[in-house]
């Protein structure tokens, strides 16, 4: 795993070509992503530079160093990621005139692109990758991001110069690049807890979307094309019929998952697993133990607060599988130590509060291993989120409720104190149990009893429901959540919810969180459930093999039950969160109060202060507005850490 950065002069008469010193500063800003070595390649005449920071995982020798030039001398490449199909590609290369000097996947990808072209090679790659490939002969630069968006890649084209990097901080070091805040992006951030791709917090600066190739030519032309289109695949699958029986389907899923895990165990350094004790991480760990030639190291994090501590469950699973298990119990002091670093780690506002425990468990893990496998992706692919069950139950209830009664129910619910509803939510049985029911009811009741299921789900995903009113001068961009064609192409509500999350929440929140939390400590995180073959197969499974009679992840469970007793796993989903509401009223209160001060908000002129102060006061009074407030706090913390950003 590594960090990449670079620049490409789009046309003659553009900016003066940049120096090696600039390129080195760009890559050095990513040093924690690649602490083992630094490399740079520069063509001053054409104004092209490729930089690399290396975290050595495979082929630790100099033959694996980057930037790497192809044997024919025509192509230069920098690359961040791991490709697990390199052996098959290497076997095909042996039948050509190209010869490999080492055994790194970097060299195999590069020589394959030199032989067959990037468009023909990328579809063969199994794994996670962000690639920059320069063709000296044509003067063309290609930027590539993996199918699901596991590895990040940012780019900007300003003043005749294209710049790119694994993180935004590398782009900010380009002379003349002015950090100007995009208020529309900030409005989108306030609805979600991330900024949806392709946008970033900065104007004219973008995330390269998953499954795409950007091509830049010397005449200034930039084109982006898809090499993998999940939405098109899902739309096609929605109209197909199922011809496998359940036993065959589980066997095929088992074999796919086993192969995905086995491929991700290849490394020349120690490897472990992040284990929460839930379905996904337990399955990945069990498959690792079944395949690995050594005892597996597992790592988990716990909290003293009731309702947030999964460590005992992870401990039981680890004991059954037989791993070397390590756990850390965290408290608010850990959060306080970490909060001040979050703006620098994420480069733009990011407000998934599970960023805190994720960073803590990665820090713990890095003390023991260099590579770790995680169970991310199972919720999106196999209907695992509790909000799916809640949305389906709501729609079912509403369909049997007369219109007049719906209005009466809305008014009745709005009269119940949020604190009472919070306690009711925590006492609900099984899959209906949830935290923060009061605020959810306040925010969602008007659409819960409406006739538009997509509006309901959009409301469930929203932290602030009218972000344009919150961000002065901001107008959020409308993405797939508002796409009126989606219900026509994918009629099933559950399918739409899963697809929306896979296209947005998964890459822009979950995978961003894991990438930053792991990379900041030089830890490589691999996600076998997001092997694109598993992703595609999951969408060919019938719906009842994902969600059956209120049970989520039915097919994954069946694979796991072959290895771990169901009594260790059958319990309500907790989620990977922190006691944020309590921390904001307690140890984080002074920090939050300073950032949410009315005078500060008015002086900035970015946010409307009234709704923020209203929710902050209500939260201090016992209501739970932790998540929308965390959005504002992370935005404020980021602004405080970046005072040079023009608002």
């Amino acid at each position: 795993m590594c960090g990449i950065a670079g620049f490409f002069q789009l046309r003659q008469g553009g900016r003066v070509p940049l120096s090696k010193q600039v390129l080195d500063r760009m890559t050095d800003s990513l040093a924690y992503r690649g602490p083992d070595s630094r490399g740079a390649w520069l063509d001053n005449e054409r104004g092209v530079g490729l930089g690399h920071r290396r975290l050595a995982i495979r082929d630790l020798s100099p033959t694996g160093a980057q930037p790497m030039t192809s044997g024919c001398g025509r192509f230069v490449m920098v690359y961040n990621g791991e490709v697990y199909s390199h052996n098959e590609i290497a076997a095909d290369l042996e039948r050509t005139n190209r010869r490999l000097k080492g055994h790194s996947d970097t060299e195999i990808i590069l020589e394959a692109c030199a032989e067959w072209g990037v468009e023909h090679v990328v579809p063969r790659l199994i794994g996670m990758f962000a690639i920059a490939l320069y063709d000296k002969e044509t003067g063309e630069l290609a930027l590539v991001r993996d199918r699901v968006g596991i590895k990040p890649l940012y780019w900007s084209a300003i003043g005749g110069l294209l710049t790119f990097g694994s993180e935004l901080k590398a782009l900010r070091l380009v002379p003349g690049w002015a950090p100007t805040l995009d208020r529309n992006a900030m409005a989108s951030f306030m609805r979600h807890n991330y900024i949806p791709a392709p946008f970033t917090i900065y104007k004219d600066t973008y995330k390269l979307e998953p499954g795409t190739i950007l091509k830049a030519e010397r005449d200034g032309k930039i084109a982006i094309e898809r090499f993998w289109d999940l939405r098109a695949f899902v739309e096609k699958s929605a109209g197909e019929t199922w011809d496998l029986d359940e036993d065959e389907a589980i066997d095929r899923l088992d074999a796919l998952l086993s192969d995905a895990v086995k491929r991700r165990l290849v490394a020349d350094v120690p490897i472990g697993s992040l284990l929460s004790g839930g379905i996904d991480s337990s399955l990945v760990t069990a498959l690792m133990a079944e395949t690995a030639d050594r005892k597996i190291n597992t790592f988990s994090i716990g909290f003293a607060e009731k309702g947030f501590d999964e460590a005992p469950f992870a401990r039981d699973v680890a004991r059954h599988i037989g791993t070397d298990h390590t756990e850390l119990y965290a408290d608010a002091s850990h959060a306080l130590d970490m909060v001040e670093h979050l703006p620098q780690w994420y480069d733009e506002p990011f407000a998934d509060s599970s960023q805190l425990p994720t960073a803590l468990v990665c820090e713990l893990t890095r003390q023991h291993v260099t590579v770790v496998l995680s169970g991310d992706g199972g919720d999106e692919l196999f209907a695992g989120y509790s909000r799916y069950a809640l949305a389906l139950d709501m729609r079912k209830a509403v369909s049997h409720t007369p219109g007049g009664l719906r209005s009466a129910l809305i008014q009745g619910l709005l009269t119940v104190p949020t604190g009472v509803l919070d306690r009711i939510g925590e006492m609900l049985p099984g899959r209906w149990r949830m935290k923060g029911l009061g605020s959810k009811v306040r925010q969602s009741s008007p659409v819960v009893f409406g006739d538009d299921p997509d509006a309901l789900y959009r409301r469930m995903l929203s932290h602030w429901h009218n972000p344009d009113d919150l961000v002065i001068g901001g107008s959020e961009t409308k993405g797939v959540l508002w796409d009126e064609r989606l219900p026509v192409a994918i009629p099933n509500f559950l399918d739409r919810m899963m697809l929306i999350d896979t296209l947005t929440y998964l890459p822009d929140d979950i995978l961003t969180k894991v990438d930053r939390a792991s990379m900041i400590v030089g830890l490589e995180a691999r996600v076998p459930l997001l092997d694109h073959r598993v992703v595609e197969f999951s969408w060919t499974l019938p719906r009842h093999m994902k969600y059956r009679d209120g049970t989520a992840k039915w097919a994954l469970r069946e694979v796991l039950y072959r290895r771990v007793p169901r009594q260790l796993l059958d319990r309500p989903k907790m989620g990977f969160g922190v006691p944020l509401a309590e921390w904001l009223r307690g140890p984080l209160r002074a920090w939050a109060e300073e950032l949410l001060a009315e005078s500060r908000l008015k002086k900035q002129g970015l946010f409307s202060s009234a709704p923020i102060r209203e929710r902050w006061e209500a939260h201090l009074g016992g209501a739970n507005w932790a998540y929308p407030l965390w959005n504002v706090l992370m935005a404020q913390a980021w602004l405080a850490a970046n005072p040079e950003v023009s608002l």
Side-chain angles (χ1 to χ4, degrees):
M1 199 61 58
C2 310
I4 64 173
F7 49 79
F8 176 82
Q9 190 169 350
L10 288 167
R11 59 184 179 273
Q12 295 298 319
R15 286 196 202 173
V16 176
L18 300 180
S19 66
K20 183 177 183 298
Q21 287 72 25
V22 171
L23 184 59
D24 286 344
R25 286 200 297 270
M26 293 174 70
T27 53
D28 284 350
S29 71
L30 309 172
Y32 50 83
R33 297 184 72 95
D36 295 327
S37 63
R38 178 182 72 185
W41 179 88
L42 189 67
D43 182 336
N44 276 313
E45 185 177 342
R46 289 195 169 186
V48 182
L50 304 180
H52 187 262
R53 291 292 314 209
R54 186 184 187 194
L55 175 63
I57 300 295
R58 287 192 288 186
D59 192 352
L60 310 186
S61 72
T63 60
Q66 300 182 46
M68 186 178 290
T69 302
S70 62
C72 63
R74 175 177 170 179
F75 295 91
V76 186
M77 188 177 88
V78 288
Y79 151 63
N80 167 32
E82 296 286 346
V83 165
Y84 313 108
S85 54
H86 62 286
N87 287 335
E88 296 98 310
I89 299 172
D92 289 342
L93 277 172
E94 288 181 1
R95 293 188 283 272
T96 71
N97 292 323
R98 298 185 183 273
R99 296 294 173 259
L100 301 175
K101 298 176 183 178
H103 65 274
S104 71
D105 56 344
T106 307
E107 185 181 14
I108 293 167
I109 297 168
L110 174 59
E111 295 299 334
C113 288
E115 179 68 22
W116 299 302
V118 64
E119 302 91 344
H120 300 288
V121 173
V122 169
R124 298 188 60 184
L125 304 183
I126 297 172
M128 52 186 182
F129 46 88
I131 299 169
L133 179 73
Y134 178 64
D135 185 340
K136 297 179 186 179
E137 183 175 300
T138 64
E140 183 180 88
L141 176 73
L143 302 179
V144 187
R145 191 175 180 201
D146 66 64
R147 296 170 180 84
V148 187
I150 303 170
K151 289 293 100 185
L153 192 55
Y154 298 85
W155 68 280
S156 181
I158 301 174
L161 186 72
L162 185 149
T163 57
F164 67 89
S166 295
E167 297 182 22
L168 285 168
K169 58 174 59 69
L171 278 62
R172 287 191 53 169
L173 291 171
V174 175
W177 193 88
T180 303
L181 185 137
D182 185 337
R183 293 191 177 221
N184 296 340
M186 182 65 84
S188 293
F189 169 73
M190 285 299 158
R191 180 177 297 277
H192 309 284
N193 48 282
Y194 56 86
I195 296 173
F199 304 101
T200 73
I201 193 60
Y202 299 119
K203 287 185 177 180
D204 303 314
T205 303
Y206 306 97
K207 302 175 177 80
L208 185 63
E209 293 190 83
T212 63
I213 302 175
L214 179 152
K215 289 185 178 180
E217 299 178 5
R218 303 299 306 170
D219 61 2
K221 180 182 178 182
I222 295 175
I224 299 176
E225 58 190 47
R226 288 200 171 275
F227 67 88
W228 192 72
D229 190 337
L230 178 62
R231 176 169 173 173
F233 184 89
V234 173
E235 290 180 2
K236 181 175 182 294
S237 299
E240 294 181 348
T241 57
W242 179 251
D243 59 0
L244 281 182
D245 65 35
E246 288 186 350
D247 289 338
E248 289 178 296
I250 298 302
D251 287 343
R252 283 185 58 184
L253 180 60
D254 194 325
L256 262 179
L257 291 170
S258 297
D259 182 68
V261 168
K262 182 179 179 180
R263 287 174 182 265
R264 285 159 180 80
L265 290 178
V266 177
D268 297 330
V269 293
I271 193 165
S273 172
L274 299 180
L275 178 63
S276 69
I279 300 299
D280 305 332
S281 65
S282 297
L283 176 55
V284 168
T285 304
L287 291 171
M288 289 175 69
E290 198 170 81
T291 305
D293 57 2
R294 71 197 86 167
K295 199 169 187 179
I296 295 297
N297 295 287
T298 51
F299 306 90
S300 66
I301 191 167
F303 296 94
E305 288 86 351
K306 184 179 179 182
F308 293 89
D309 186 21
E310 289 189 292
F313 306 123
R315 198 180 309 136
D316 290 342
V317 173
R319 187 180 298 116
H320 175 81
I321 295 174
T323 68
D324 282 332
H325 190 61
T326 305
E327 62 186 34
L328 168 71
Y329 268 81
D331 56 31
S333 66
H334 291 91
L336 277 169
D337 293 339
M338 192 165 286
V339 156
E340 64 182 88
H341 300 294
L342 294 177
Q344 188 262 335
W345 292 351
Y346 286 89
D347 278 344
E348 65 178 357
F350 183 82
D352 183 337
S353 60
S354 65
Q355 65 201 126
L356 296 170
T358 304
L360 287 169
V361 75
C362 286
E363 183 180 51
L364 166 71
T365 302
R366 185 61 179 92
Q367 298 170 22
H368 302 270
V369 301
T370 312
V371 176
V372 70
L373 271 62
S374 78
D376 295 296
D379 288 317
E380 290 84 359
L381 300 182
F382 293 91
Y385 288 122
S386 55
R387 61 177 176 262
Y388 298 156
L390 179 62
L392 292 173
D393 289 342
M394 285 179 174
R395 296 307 305 164
K396 185 176 180 180
V398 166
S399 67
H400 296 94
T401 305
L405 182 56
R406 295 183 195 179
S407 299
L409 286 170
I410 292 173
Q411 295 304 314
L413 284 170
L414 292 177
T415 63
V416 181
T418 56
V420 173
L421 290 171
D422 285 345
R423 289 190 289 275
I424 291 173
E426 292 168 1
M427 294 186 294
L428 289 172
R431 61 193 171 95
W432 290 285
R433 187 177 305 156
M434 71 184 73
K435 301 180 183 73
L437 177 62
S439 61
K440 289 182 172 66
V441 167
R442 292 266 183 231
Q443 297 175 70
S444 303
S445 55
V447 296
V448 165
F449 296 99
D451 296 318
D452 184 355
D454 296 273
L456 166 64
Y457 194 58
R458 185 164 60 245
R459 183 63 70 109
M460 293 177 75
L461 294 177
S462 302
H463 288 203
W464 293 87
H465 299 301
N466 299 295
D468 292 357
D469 296 334
L470 188 69
V471 179
I472 299 170
S475 178
E476 67 174 320
T477 55
K478 300 294 196 294
V480 68
L481 275 170
W482 288 266
D483 190 338
E484 296 179 354
R485 298 169 298 171
L486 196 63
V488 177
I490 304 173
N492 184 267
F493 184 34
L494 177 59
D495 288 347
R496 290 201 303 280
M497 289 190 287
M498 290 191 294
L499 178 62
I500 287 169
D501 282 348
T502 306
L503 295 175
T504 58
Y505 180 69
L506 178 64
D508 294 334
D509 182 314
I510 299 299
L511 295 175
T512 297
K513 173 187 67 180
V514 173
D515 175 80
R516 300 305 192 279
S518 58
M519 285 281 86
I520 198 67
V521 293
L523 177 71
E524 175 174 307
R526 300 175 176 178
V527 280
L529 298 186
L530 291 177
D531 185 306
H532 76 276
R533 300 168 302 160
V534 176
V535 175
E536 291 177 350
F537 183 70
S538 75
W539 280 105
T540 67
L541 290 172
R543 209 165 296 112
H544 69 268
M545 293 192 67
K546 302 173 187 177
Y547 186 79
R548 177 179 297 191
D549 299 327
T551 298
K553 302 181 185 177
W554 184 87
L556 285 184
R557 289 174 185 270
E558 291 301 305
V559 175
L560 180 55
Y561 292 155
R562 295 176 173 183
R563 296 161 174 89
V564 179
R566 66 176 62 225
Q567 59 265 28
L568 292 181
L569 303 158
D570 286 355
R571 62 180 185 278
K573 182 179 177 65
M574 290 179 65
F576 192 47
V578 296
L580 185 62
E582 292 77 9
W583 287 1
L584 287 177
R585 297 188 194 100
L588 294 179
R589 178 170 177 172
W591 167 80
E593 183 63 67
E594 181 180 357
L595 292 174
L596 300 180
E598 187 169 9
S599 59
R600 184 185 193 125
L601 293 167
K602 288 185 175 179
K603 183 179 179 181
Q604 284 174 334
L606 179 61
F607 299 117
S608 299
S609 61
I612 295 172
R613 292 299 305 178
E614 179 184 345
R615 290 197 177 181
W616 175 236
E617 296 296 338
H619 186 82
L620 293 178
N624 187 353
W625 293 107
Y627 292 131
L629 287 169
W630 191 249
N631 278 44
V632 181
L633 287 165
M634 286 294 95
Q636 289 290 81
W638 181 82
L639 288 168
N642 296 276
E644 71 281 9
V645 173
S646 173
L647 302 183

